[in-house]
């Protein structure tokens, strides 16, 4: 263990760091996941512990399948993903509930209420209900570590995968965690052939379906006495039932009230709920997103209030909670710190900017995908017209093509990042080839998974642990699928990229354009010494704003009054001039060709011009 800590040490951990520590203490041997906020740091931290195999999988389905295989071999295994990733992993999840486990198997799903970094804010407690697996829900970092260890014990005792749900606040807010002892699985490590348990032929699956119902019955009984389903008795005028981080909001907003905290979000402890409800005058259910607990309590015939008071979307906090229930507008505990407004934008030097600028001039429909490049949908580039989920761009473009027929030739392109292509874009491209389409697919290869913080992916040739591996050759892969026309371009070269783009979208056959250039924020790119910072020769700037249309945050607009313009040597009618912030400029040079007045030059071309 690189960052060795002693048993009993008290450490300030985020929820994700605590989960990594919990996995270590639980004796996890194999962990696989796909990066996605707010879950990413779990595996990044776990990879620093010795004795645990960790990996980034191409997608969440593969991650869960790897973890399930490790469990079948008798090892404790972990799969991590953000909430939408569980949609991708749902196929093996539902059947894993039937097969059960050998070594303990836990799937961490990190929900994102308020959609801080997500395309939706689905409530994954519903997956526990639908897949018929138990779910634990910690409320802080301390519980995150302990609940993960408990989850493995439950998994092995009840022969079931266990879901552990965090939310953004639990994942990222820090708390004191005590380092504990490590434990190990009671399962025997090794290959054991159990086809009736692991081979889900219909005949076997029907038997396992019966076992699943028996298991859920035993889990419901377990939930009644599970110590983490606990009541804190106080004033019985008003009682709350809650779970996860909502418990902390309740305690802050109504410290005088009685609270039933459900550490196990599913299945429910019905007798405990009935006993609690019978002893309070008013019962309120507090939970973020869906009325998951509320619907169950009402199904028990218990009168309660919930979503008619508490918002059903977005994150809660103690201020929202108290105002929702009492109508009182109280002072927020932590007033936001005023910061300058900063509109979302692609970074200075981003290699994606050039290709999106070229696309914007063609006026085509752009079927986009999930990644930092989704920001190209915003002004001034305005070059993305749809974005649904990971890997959906190619299928969306192909569907439009099939709906519109030959009329759509030259009018639609699909755009997808390298990591997202590896995740689930490949099958969409296979569909285009197999079903005789002519879609043009642009793969934005910036040599990393940029949106979640530079995790490697199968095309980068580096593993989570930093070891070199056989990186997938995207161009060769596309050709192997059957795409005859594959072109790799430098996205910083506007003229060449635009020319290839126009040529390929008119082609009546499947074609792929790979725009290949490293992300400007990669450490090696930030440290490079050949950055050729650009500047504006102000005397040459006519104020035409052409350079602003690329949306680079390093290019600023300096407004001028008629008097200021005259004093600066411009025409009185000139409204201003461009200025390049040298601190922000990455030296990519994408801006220079846009200025037909030669007002933008690189430092090595400046020749001491003092007009600027």
């Amino acid at each position: 263990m690189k960052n060795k800590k002693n048993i009993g040490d008290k450490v300030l951990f985020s929820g994700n760091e605590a989960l990594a520590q919990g996995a270590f203490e639980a004796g996890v041997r194999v962990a696989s996941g796909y990066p996605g906020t707010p879950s990413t740091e779990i595996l990044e931290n776990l990879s620093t512990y010795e004795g645990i195999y960790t990996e980034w999988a191409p997608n969440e389905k593969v991650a869960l399948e790897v973890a399930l295989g490790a469990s079948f071999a008798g090892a404790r295994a972990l799969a991590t993903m953000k909430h939408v990733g569980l949609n991708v992993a749902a196929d093996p999840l539902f059947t894993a509930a039937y097969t059960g486990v050998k070594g303990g198997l836990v799937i961490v799903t990190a929900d994102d209420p308020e959609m801080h970094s997500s395309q939706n804010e689905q409530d994954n407690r519903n997956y526990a209900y639908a897949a018929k697996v138990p779910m634990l829900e910690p409320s802080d970092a301390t519980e995150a570590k302990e609940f993960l260890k408990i989850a493995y014990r439950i998994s092995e005792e009840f022969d079931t995968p266990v879901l552990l749900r965090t939310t953004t606040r639990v994942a990222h807010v820090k708390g004191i965690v005590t380092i504990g002892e490590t434990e190990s699985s009671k399962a025997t490590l090794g290959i054991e052939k159990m086809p009736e348990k692991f081979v889900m032929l219909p005949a076997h699956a029907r038997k396992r379906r019966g076992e699943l119902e028996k298991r859920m019955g035993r889990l419901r009984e377990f939930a009644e006495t599970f110590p983490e389903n606990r009541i804190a008795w106080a004033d019985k005028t008003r009682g709350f039932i809650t779970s996860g981080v909502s418990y902390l909001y309740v305690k802050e907003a109504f410290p005088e009230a009685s609270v039933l905290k459900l550490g196990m979000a599913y299945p429910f402890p019905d007798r405990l709920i009935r006993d609690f409800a019978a002893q309070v005058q008013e019962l309120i259910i507090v939970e973020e997103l869906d009325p998951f607990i509320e619907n169950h309590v009402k199904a028990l015939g218990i009168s309660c209030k919930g979503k008619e008071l508490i918002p059903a979307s977005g994150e809660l906090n103690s201020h929202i909670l108290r105002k929702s229930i009492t109508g009182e507008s109280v002072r927020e505990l932590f007033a936001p710190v005023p910061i300058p407004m900063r509109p979302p934008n692609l970074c200075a030097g981003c290699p994606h900017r050039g290709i999106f600028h070229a696309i914007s001039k063609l006026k085509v429909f752009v079927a986009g995908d999930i990644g930092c490049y989704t920001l190209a949908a915003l002004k001034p580039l305005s070059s993305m017209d749809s974005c649904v989920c990971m890997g959906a761009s190619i299928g969306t473009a192909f569907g439009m093509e099939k709906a519109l027929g030959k009329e759509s030739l030259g009018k639609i392109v699909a755009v997808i990042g390298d990591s997202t292509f590896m995740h689930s874009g490949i099958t969409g491209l296979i569909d285009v080839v197999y079903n005789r389409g002519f879609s043009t697919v642009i793969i934005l290869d910036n040599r990393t998974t940029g949106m979640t913080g530079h995790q490697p992916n199968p095309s980068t040739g580096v593993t989570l642990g930093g070891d070199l591996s056989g990186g997938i050759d995207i161009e060769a892969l596309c050709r192997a699928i059957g795409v005859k026309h594959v072109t790799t371009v430098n996205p910083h070269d506007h003229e060449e990229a635009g020319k290839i783009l126009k040529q390929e979208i008119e082609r009546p056959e499947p074609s792929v354009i790979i725009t290949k250039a490293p992300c400007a924020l990669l450490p090696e790119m930030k440290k490079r010494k050949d950055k050729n910072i650009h500047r504006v020769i102000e005397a040459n700037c006519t104020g035409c704003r052409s350079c602003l249309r690329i949306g680079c945050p390093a290019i600023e607009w300096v407004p001028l009054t008629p008097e200021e313009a005259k004093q600066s040597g411009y025409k009185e009618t000139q409204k201003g001039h461009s200025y390049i912030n040298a601190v922000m400029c990455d030296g990519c040079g994408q801006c220079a060709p846009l200025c037909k007045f030669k007002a933008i030059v690189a430092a090595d071309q400046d020749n001491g011009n003092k007009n600027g």
Side-chain angles (χ1 to χ4, degrees):
M1 177 179 173
K2 296 173 186 174
N3 48 357
K4 183 173 175 59
K5 301 174 184 65
N6 298 314
I7 295 172
D9 283 354
K10 295 189 181 301
V11 184
L12 189 64
F13 271 154
S14 69
N16 283 346
E17 290 171 323
L19 286 169
Q21 178 66 28
F24 174 73
E25 293 181 14
V28 168
R29 296 176 66 99
V30 174
S32 182
Y34 186 80
T37 305
S39 69
T40 308
E41 299 84 4
I42 302 170
L43 278 197
E44 287 183 334
N45 281 280
L46 190 57
S47 68
T48 68
Y49 290 77
E50 291 181 355
I52 304 175
Y53 171 76
T54 55
E55 66 165 31
W56 289 129
N59 64 35
E60 297 84 355
K61 178 176 181 288
V62 174
L64 179 50
E65 289 161 349
V66 169
L68 185 60
S71 167
F72 287 173
R76 285 189 170 181
L78 175 69
T80 69
M81 58 201 69
K82 67 181 297 178
H83 62 301
V84 289
L86 196 54
N87 300 333
V88 183
D91 201 359
L93 171 67
F94 277 64
T95 305
Y98 280 51
T99 65
V101 303
K102 187 177 170 190
L105 173 62
V106 178
I107 304 109
V108 174
T109 168
D111 288 12
D112 188 16
E114 202 73 43
M115 295 173 283
H116 295 283
S117 183
S118 305
Q119 63 270 44
N120 68 40
E121 59 175 10
Q122 70 188 42
D123 187 333
N124 276 2
R125 292 177 298 174
N126 295 295
Y127 266 112
Y129 173 80
K132 298 179 174 57
V133 295
M135 171 178 275
L136 301 186
E137 195 175 7
S139 62
D140 57 23
T142 302
E143 286 191 349
K145 189 198 77 152
E146 296 303 324
F147 277 28
L148 190 62
K149 296 171 73 174
I150 293 169
Y152 281 101
R153 295 174 206 142
I154 292 173
S155 175
E156 291 177 356
E157 179 179 348
F158 290 91
D159 185 19
T160 179
V162 176
L163 282 167
L164 187 144
R165 178 192 188 233
T166 66
T167 54
T168 308
R169 292 299 142 192
V170 177
H172 291 158
V173 172
K174 295 206 170 189
I176 301 295
V177 172
T178 304
I179 303 301
E181 297 183 354
T182 56
E183 57 186 62
S184 57
S185 170
K186 294 178 181 175
T188 304
L189 197 63
I191 296 174
E192 186 177 2
K193 295 191 177 185
M194 295 183 283
E196 291 197 350
K197 175 174 168 57
F198 292 150
V199 181
M200 286 304 97
L201 293 166
H204 295 168
R206 289 187 196 104
K207 291 180 182 176
R208 294 299 299 177
R209 180 72 177 86
E211 292 299 316
L212 179 54
E213 284 306 312
K214 292 176 187 173
R215 175 200 303 159
M216 289 306 297
R218 290 189 289 123
L219 280 163
R220 280 189 281 273
E221 281 301 312
F222 173 79
E224 298 289 353
T225 56
F226 179 47
E228 299 303 335
N229 288 337
R230 63 176 189 264
I231 297 173
W233 286 115
D235 182 6
K236 296 185 178 180
T237 307
R238 180 183 284 146
F240 293 93
I241 300 179
T242 185
S243 66
V245 72
S246 298
Y247 166 73
L248 300 181
Y249 301 147
V250 170
K251 293 297 288 181
E252 284 182 0
F254 299 96
E256 75 287 355
S258 296
V259 182
L260 167 55
K261 177 183 183 295
L262 298 180
M264 178 176 274
Y266 185 79
F268 296 102
D270 291 350
R271 291 198 299 276
L272 189 64
I273 290 172
R274 290 183 193 280
D275 290 345
F276 180 77
Q279 295 187 55
V280 296
Q281 294 178 27
E282 180 187 31
L283 181 62
I284 300 176
I285 314 300
V286 178
E287 52 194 330
E288 287 180 324
L289 305 183
D290 293 348
F292 185 72
I293 302 173
E294 179 186 342
N295 286 345
H296 183 76
V297 172
K298 287 181 175 175
L300 292 174
I302 298 171
S303 176
C304 65
K305 294 178 181 176
K307 290 304 173 188
E308 67 265 49
L309 300 174
I310 313 296
S313 63
E315 283 192 303
L316 296 178
N317 61 38
S318 56
H319 170 70
I320 293 172
L321 183 58
R322 188 159 184 93
K323 189 175 181 181
S324 298
I325 294 174
T326 67
E328 299 171 7
S329 182
V330 296
R331 179 179 63 85
E332 293 211 41
L333 295 178
F334 300 103
V337 177
I339 55 175
M341 291 297 294
R342 179 177 178 271
N345 195 355
L346 296 172
C347 304
C350 175
H352 303 327
R353 176 173 283 104
I355 195 70
F356 278 112
H357 183 260
I359 292 172
S360 69
K361 294 197 286 189
L362 296 178
K363 309 295 182 189
V364 295
F365 186 96
V366 183
D369 224 299
I370 302 292
C372 51
Y373 50 88
T374 313
L375 295 173
L378 305 176
K379 293 180 178 179
L381 293 170
S382 303
S383 297
M384 191 170 288
D385 300 295
S386 69
C387 179
V388 180
C389 66
M390 293 285 285
S393 59
I394 302 175
T396 303
F398 186 51
M400 293 182 72
E401 172 196 322
K402 286 298 181 187
L404 300 174
K406 293 182 180 176
E407 291 297 315
S408 64
L409 182 63
K411 297 177 181 174
I412 301 168
V413 298
V415 176
I416 187 169
D418 54 331
S419 182
T420 312
F421 182 67
M422 290 291 133
H423 178 281
S424 50
I426 297 171
T427 44
L429 186 57
I430 290 172
D431 193 31
V432 172
V433 174
Y434 174 61
N435 286 307
R436 305 170 62 188
F438 51 73
S439 294
T440 302
V441 176
I442 301 170
I443 301 176
L444 308 170
D445 183 1
N446 65 352
R447 315 309 302 150
T448 190
T449 309
M451 64 178 170
T452 48
H454 294 148
Q455 291 77 27
N457 66 63
S459 73
T460 60
V462 181
T463 68
L464 169 59
D467 298 323
L468 296 178
S469 69
I472 302 294
D473 182 333
I474 296 177
E475 185 169 333
L477 175 64
C478 293
R479 292 188 190 281
I481 287 171
V483 182
K484 297 176 183 172
H485 307 283
V486 184
T487 311
T488 299
V489 301
N490 175 4
H492 294 301
D493 185 342
H494 283 207
E495 187 176 349
E496 180 66 10
K499 187 174 128 188
I500 297 295
L501 182 61
K502 194 169 183 182
Q503 168 190 303
E504 295 305 318
I505 67 170
E506 296 291 348
R507 190 185 293 280
E509 294 179 74
S511 63
V512 171
I513 302 171
I514 302 169
T515 69
K516 191 170 184 178
C519 171
L521 298 185
L522 285 171
E524 60 269 29
M525 295 300 291
K526 293 174 75 173
K527 292 177 183 175
R528 74 186 195 278
K529 295 180 179 176
D530 61 346
K531 279 187 181 179
N532 207 346
I533 304 302
H534 283 58
R535 65 186 291 271
V536 174
I537 301 173
E538 294 178 7
N540 292 358
C541 180
T542 64
C544 71
R545 295 175 180 256
S546 291
C547 57
L548 299 177
R549 295 188 189 113
I550 198 170
C552 177
I555 305 177
E556 301 173 5
W557 176 250
V558 182
L560 296 172
T561 64
E563 293 75 20
E564 290 170 335
K566 189 175 179 182
Q567 288 173 4
S568 300
Y570 298 118
K571 295 178 181 177
E572 282 188 47
T573 53
Q574 184 160 329
K575 303 295 183 185
H577 66 84
S578 296
Y579 167 79
I580 294 179
N581 186 322
V583 175
M584 295 189 69
C585 179
D586 186 71
C588 69
Q590 292 184 34
C591 53
L594 303 176
C595 182
K596 62 183 178 182
F597 301 103
K598 310 296 182 188
I600 298 179
V601 295
D604 65 356
Q605 300 170 344
D606 203 356
N607 296 323
N609 192 320
K610 302 300 180 186
N611 292 330

